[in-house]
Amino acid sequence: MALHETEHLDDRSGELAGFRRHVREWLARHAPRPGQRPPPGDEIERLDRARRMQAALHDAGLVGITWPVEWGGRGLTRREQLVVAEESAAYELGTSVFAIGLGMCGPTVLAHGTDAQRRRYLRPLLRGEEIWCQLFSEPGAGSDVASLRTRAVRDGEAWRVDGQKVWTSGAQHCTFGLLLARTDPDVPKHEGLTMFVVDMRAPGVTVRPLRQMSGESHFNEVFLDDVRTDEVVGPIGEGWPVARTTLMNERVSVSGGTTGTGTSADALVRLAQGGDRASDPLVRQALAEVWIREKTLHYVRERVRAAARAGLAPGPEGSVAKLASSDLAQRAASLAVALQGPGALAWDPTDERGERWSRRVCAAPGASIGGGTDEILRNLVGERVLGLPREPAVDRDVPFRDLVQDTRDRTGRPGPPEDPTG
């Protein structure tokens, strides 16, 4: 039996039984299981299917579970949200294109936006009418996001934005982006930032896909040339606390903290049995190692869920879960390649299993980067969980304009020094 089939949120008291029954029955009628999904189709067809499914989920009351009713949500608790996550884990909803908006951007607007912004953006986001992306990382500001150089300058009642972002997931499909930019270079790097909403279709926004080794292009680089926006999220100059809300929600989302428990061990056991490798003692040891780490990740996620049920915002436990998740992804992918042998590199086009594992192998290294690198997250855990001294940071109290800047231009060639104020 798969791990997630025996570890549902405990609702034996009957408090959630009716809600779970509604979720289960709706999914059984409307959501395809793996193997039942329609042909992939082209990009437009996939987006249309995703929008239809997202709208249907909203109409059934299965998204925005904890969001207030006035902003398009259900106004329920995180317990109901976890029920939906558990029950939908066995289905192919095809709505991952909305994950960043629902899991990161939406919660940030909900926590820090104005009522007018919540009224304008949240319901269309929940219904899949608009897609969002997160515009944080830059070529010279990845792990150290606060060192970003994209700048926003006042222009009357609005702002003009210039800069470059990179590793922006799904930007090619997006309607809006949540953008972190520098508005004051005369203060230390964490203090001179402001969060904005940017229309991804506005003049001056250029999106260029980045080809991954899997052949896909989930990520993009985004150029912003004199882009106008008048939507500020949170106080001007206090964008770092707003960004932390996004980042903490991202780590929980990337780690799978709001979804069902993964079943890599089950799938690998089946793979070993299919190749007559299950009796090999070295294979059995490797399978046990994956199972142990998967079980450990499950209990870390339970801590995340317990905090959610208590109404607490995501904390350091999200970083622990994300670390465990990236480690598991890489171990499972490596073992799958060892079990499949040449089949992991070349497979019959009709063999979905071969392609699936090969894609996971190609995606696994990125798991240690997305949502915060393993190194940065270990520092966070050391400081905020173990109470270890903070890593030395000589630039923490230095005005941003006085920091030594990377002077490479957008092509990667050395260029003239650039004034960060423009």
Side-chain angles (χ1 to χ4, degrees):
M1 181 176 290
L3 294 177
H4 71 277
E5 293 177 351
T6 62
E7 294 171 344
H8 282 311
L9 178 67
D10 184 6
D11 55 7
R12 287 174 294 179
S13 64
E15 181 181 350
L16 297 178
F19 183 77
R20 187 183 292 278
R21 184 166 54 252
H22 162 67
V23 175
R24 187 173 292 172
E25 291 175 354
W26 191 92
L27 290 170
R29 290 196 304 271
H30 301 284
R33 290 183 180 271
Q36 299 175 338
R37 56 187 174 184
D42 61 26
E43 193 169 73
I44 294 176
E45 290 174 323
R46 291 197 300 271
L47 285 174
D48 284 344
R49 282 202 300 266
R51 289 190 175 99
R52 290 195 299 271
M53 176 58 73
Q54 187 67 27
L57 288 164
H58 180 267
D59 292 345
L62 304 186
V63 293
I65 301 298
T66 63
W67 295 16
V69 174
E70 58 266 37
W71 314 130
R74 288 290 308 276
L76 300 175
T77 72
R78 293 181 186 268
R79 290 174 63 83
E80 284 87 358
Q81 179 175 305
L82 292 171
V83 167
V84 173
E86 290 171 348
E87 294 298 329
S88 62
Y91 292 88
E92 292 279 356
L93 298 180
T95 56
S96 60
V97 69
F98 307 110
I100 291 175
L102 294 171
M104 304 170 206
C105 301
T108 303
V109 174
L110 191 59
H112 299 280
T114 65
D115 281 355
Q117 289 170 334
R118 297 181 186 112
R119 187 176 304 110
R120 164 63 186 86
Y121 295 121
L122 296 184
R123 188 181 295 273
L125 191 163
L126 287 171
R127 288 187 54 77
E129 296 167 5
E130 295 169 346
I131 306 172
W132 284 64
C133 62
Q134 173 187 322
L135 298 162
F136 282 23
S137 295
E138 298 183 5
S143 298
D144 184 13
V145 175
S147 66
L148 62 85
R149 302 180 66 193
T150 292
R151 59 188 181 271
V153 179
R154 272 196 181 277
D155 180 17
E157 295 299 316
W159 297 78
R160 295 284 182 177
V161 181
D162 287 276
Q164 179 185 357
K165 299 294 182 176
V166 75
W167 310 122
T168 307
S169 300
Q172 70 270 39
H173 306 307
C174 288
T175 318
F176 295 105
L178 196 62
L179 169 80
L180 191 62
R182 189 164 305 282
T183 51
D184 185 357
D186 295 321
V187 296
K189 62 183 182 180
H190 288 85
E191 299 176 18
L193 304 171
T194 301
M195 190 73 77
F196 298 92
V197 175
V198 170
D199 187 338
M200 296 297 290
R201 303 157 298 184
V205 177
T206 303
V207 178
R208 296 180 183 172
L210 297 170
R211 181 74 61 179
Q212 300 157 236
M213 62 181 173
S214 65
E216 299 168 320
S217 295
H218 292 305
F219 306 109
N220 303 266
E221 53 184 351
V222 179
F223 298 94
L224 304 128
D225 296 293
D226 199 28
V227 176
R228 180 184 174 90
T229 179
D230 57 3
E231 292 280 6
V232 177
V233 180
I236 295 171
E238 298 182 26
W240 186 246
V242 181
R244 287 184 61 181
T245 297
T246 311
L247 292 169
M248 295 307 291
N249 279 286
E250 179 184 25
R251 285 160 191 163
V252 172
S253 180
V254 169
S255 72
T258 57
T259 63
T261 302
T263 56
S264 292
D266 295 315
L268 289 168
V269 167
R270 290 193 295 271
L271 194 60
Q273 291 171 335
D276 296 326
R277 299 285 303 281
S279 60
D280 185 326
L282 294 179
V283 170
R284 293 170 68 87
Q285 179 62 37
L287 289 170
E289 185 71 25
V290 170
W291 185 89
I292 290 168
R293 291 175 182 272
E294 189 170 77
K295 197 70 172 177
T296 301
L297 175 58
H298 167 72
Y299 287 117
V300 174
R301 286 172 174 167
E302 281 300 303
R303 293 197 62 171
V304 176
R305 293 172 178 176
R309 289 195 290 270
L312 302 177
E317 64 273 6
S319 298
V320 177
K322 197 273 174 180
L323 276 169
S325 178
S326 64
D327 175 77
L328 175 62
Q330 294 178 78
R331 286 177 178 272
S334 297
L335 180 55
V337 169
L339 292 174
Q340 288 191 110
L345 302 176
W347 59 89
D348 188 304
T350 62
D351 180 11
E352 292 186 4
R353 185 182 66 182
E355 181 179 7
R356 181 172 67 250
W357 280 112
S358 294
R359 288 184 181 277
R360 288 184 64 172
V361 169
C362 291
S368 63
I369 301 173
T373 66
D374 287 356
E375 293 78 9
I376 291 295
L377 294 184
R378 288 191 181 100
N379 281 347
L380 289 174
V381 172
E383 294 168 11
R384 300 177 187 177
V385 178
L386 303 179
L388 299 177
R390 181 187 292 273
E391 286 286 315
V394 297
D395 61 349
R396 182 167 295 277
D397 299 318
V398 179
F400 182 77
R401 68 164 63 251
D402 294 337
L403 299 178
V404 176
Q405 297 294 319
D406 183 353
T407 59
R408 290 176 299 177
D409 67 14
R410 290 180 177 179
T411 66
R413 299 186 299 267
E418 181 179 343
D419 180 355
T421 67

